[in-house]
Amino acid sequence: MDSETEFPVPNRMESELIKEYFETESRFIAVRSYYQIYQNVLIRKDAVSIIARVSRRIDSDTYIPYLAMNYFDRLCSRNTNIMKDKDVEGRSAEERFRLIAMGCLTISAKMRTKNFSVDQLLSAMKSRKGNITHQMVKKVENLILDELNWKMLPVTAFCFLNHYYPYFKEFGGFRRRCINEI
Amino acid sequence: MGINKLEDLKWHEHDIAIPKLSTNQAEFLFRFYRDLERVRIDTLSCFGNVISCIQRFSNERVAVKILPIPQDQIINGIPSSILNHASILKDLDHPNIVRLLQVVATEEDVYLVFENVNLNLERYITNPMLSIDTLERSVLRQALSGLAYLHSHNIVHADIDPFSILFKYTLEEPPVVKLCGIRAPKTSTSQGHPSYKAPELLMGSTNYSTAIDIWSMGCMFAHIIKRRPLFNAIEEHRVLAEIFCLLGTPTEETWPGVSSICKFIQAFNPPIQPKDLAEEFPTLEPVGLDLLSKMLCLCPNSRISAYEALDHPYLRH
């Protein structure tokens, strides 16, 4: 099959959308200095580990943890005092930041899965020390939503796949099926 | 003038102009807003209360939509449906789409605070003080521009009717058209008014596309020209009959695959012939008739798209 037919020239509707993605993408990325601070890199590493571990209990949809990390990065890079917020409960800094990572994950799971239940997830995690309650998750979810101004549909690298296909082609290219799978 | 204090609410219990609020909703609203008035909800699709009120801290008039969290889901926080709905609306940024200014979540409800708009199209058309004569093209162009933006975001409105096209105006400037009543992308099932529903929906097809919005917009276009709805029936099968009387019955040639959606279509033998639209719309110039006929094309795949319609000569000058 000719791969050109799989990636036709974008129509006006698609072109307008890509143009908008380019204009708004920077709003959905962590601020530049965020990754240059060593402490942030450590916190981020831990968040990745928590989100990866807990997301295995939710759904096989790999976009859920990806989305959760997007929320986490945007949140922590824009509000450096987030850990001290009264809505983030916990006895130690570790517990508080774990709760934020959980909140990011429950929101991303709700965005992707219609019948996701925080209740079921928390029951499955009950055996772990330092229990997180529904109330704590609810408060932190609302805090995250407010801080991110309810912009929970980020423009990510995935939005540009079709647009950049001709460039991939120079390096061997992808099939339509691969792009769909991504 | 709406009501201003929580205590006044109990005196208006049976007044339909005053929203029915739970104690928590009333406490929340009166803390931040004043001059509450219920927005007339004529469309079948609206869910939740919509209240027009003045924000106390900014003195700005806004429209607040209340989305209650179902009792059995309160334990899980904000439900997936509300989260998705609010995120989509927050993502939209276009001059012809009603703007979501703020989202506030409480324990039991989520409040969507929209920019305030003055009138819906139905009231605009029926108000003898407001002339729409010179605005026909401008209204259609603006509404289609908002629709094209929605379609580029893969959102099907699915509920376009005279109550979802709103006007915002000031004394100095011509009115700005704002589309409202937007729900979730593509997953939403159409519950719109039957008179504005596309034939494929009336025939029971569940596999629909953005073309259903163009049909509804075509009905709106005709409504503006005629000053009354193009199709008047309330029951779906009667609307379909009215459509066939005006535009003829589709055949496999004019709409490939129609007989698999609608089994009885082959019973129309010979098919009903379409009427001459020029006779139905004597005031509309030929170029306008051409656009109208392309918007009211029975076959959804041949129907004009929002972007193509914006490029049509009728709307270009």
Side-chain angles (χ1 to χ4, degrees), chain B residues 25 47-49 66-71 79 82 108-110:
Chain B
Q25 288 170 353
F47 59 96
N49 256 326
I66 307 174
L67 306 177
I69 300 173
Q71 276 300 321
I82 294 181
E108 292 173 4
D109 305 278
V110 176

Side-chain angles (χ1 to χ4, degrees), chain A residues 12-13 16-17 20 27-28 106-107 110-120 134-135 138 141-142 145-146 149-153, chain B residues 74-80 82-84 86-88 90-91 93 101 103-107 110 148-149 151-153 187 307 310-311:
Chain A
R12 190 170 151 201
M13 202 159 93
E16 296 265 333
L17 190 61
E20 198 188 313
R27 293 182 210 157
F28 299 101
T106 54
I107 295 173
K110 283 180 191 178
M111 289 298 293
R112 299 283 294 176
T113 332
K114 256 188 196 162
N115 46 10
F116 168 73
S117 160
V118 177
D119 192 32
Q120 278 175 13
H134 296 100
Q135 206 55 35
K138 247 200 267 188
E141 273 188 355
N142 285 1
L145 291 167
D146 280 344
N149 201 13
W150 285 74
K151 290 197 170 279
M152 312 318 280
L153 292 166
Chain B
I74 282 183
I75 193 165
N76 283 319
I78 296 155
S80 160
I82 294 181
L83 197 55
N84 270 291
S87 312
I88 289 160
K90 200 75 194 164
D91 215 26
D93 181 15
L101 304 172
V103 187
V104 185
T106 63
E107 187 80 3
V110 176
Y149 177 82
H151 289 176
S152 75
H153 281 71
T187 51
Y307 276 110
L310 285 169
D311 270 342

